[in-house]
Amino acid sequence: MTTEIPLDNPRRCTVTLAATAKGACLCRGIVRRQLADWGVDSSLGEPFHSALLVVAELAANAITHGRVPGRGFELHISLTTTVRRGATLRIEVSDCRGDRLPVLPPACATDGQSGRGLVLIDALADRWGTELREPNAKTVWAELDLADARCLADAR
């Protein structure tokens, strides 16, 4: 069994949002600001924009497929540096529908209005998956390896 050894204290942010379109929109803005505070911004190029797309898709899935009236969803992001992977951004979105687990579709319909979210996450993230939470919830997570770890050197 290989154990990752963190080289620094991970930077973390957790927020609960309404399971509405406005909540999903706020989610992306929160992540953009938090990443900028950590020194991860558009100067990193693709990893930064990929992170924002992954957040948008996970939040959209939470309000579309994981919504329970009167309950919100939780966003958790963390940025760590490890020996093996370097800098890794982990994005987690938790919702209250543990009975509805995401499944990567075998193929997307070319004329379909939906069904591409997990395909995008699978293409953009280095790893992703689902964890069940008690009592009846789930967390869908995605990790992006940041090739340029300089974003952690001057992070506040």
Side-chain angles (χ1 to χ4, degrees), residues 3-4 20 25 27 30 34 36 42 44 46-47 57 75 83-84 90 95 97-98 104-105 117 127 132 137 142 151:
T3 304
E4 284 287 323
T20 63
C25 182
C27 187
I30 289 167
Q34 186 61 63
S42 60
L44 281 178
E46 187 177 326
E57 290 300 332
L75 164 72
V83 173
R84 190 173 59 186
R90 184 175 173 100
D95 63 50
R97 293 293 305 265
L104 187 63
R127 293 162 296 287
L132 292 175
C151 61

Side-chain angles (χ1 to χ4, degrees), residues 8 11 38-40 79-82 86-88 146 148-156:
D8 63 356
R11 290 148 181 88
W38 291 339
V40 179
L79 184 61
T80 58
T81 305
T82 59
T88 300
L146 305 179
D148 190 353
R150 70 182 157 80
C151 61
L152 297 177
D154 299 322
R156 294 174 264 250

Side-chain angles (χ1 to χ4, degrees), residues 58-108:
L58 289 178
N61 284 350
I63 67 166
T64 303
H65 306 294
R67 185 173 185 276
V68 171
R71 305 283 304 269
F73 71 95
E74 182 179 273
L75 164 72
H76 177 80
I77 58 172
S78 61
L79 184 61
T80 58
T81 305
T82 59
V83 173
R84 190 173 59 186
R85 288 198 181 109
T88 300
L89 175 65
R90 184 175 173 100
I91 302 161
E92 300 176 2
V93 173
S94 302
D95 63 50
C96 299
R97 293 293 305 265
D99 59 323
R100 298 188 72 183
L101 299 178
V103 178
L104 187 63
C108 291

Side-chain angles (χ1 to χ4, degrees), residues 115-155:
R116 294 176 179 83
L118 286 178
V119 174
L120 280 172
I121 292 167
D122 190 56
L124 296 172
D126 292 293
R127 293 162 296 287
W128 74 275
T130 305
E131 297 171 0
L132 292 175
R133 292 176 61 170
E134 293 295 328
N136 184 28
K138 70 176 173 296
T139 297
V140 182
W141 58 269
E143 292 182 340
L144 290 90
D145 295 332
L146 305 179
D148 190 353
R150 70 182 157 80
C151 61
L152 297 177
D154 299 322

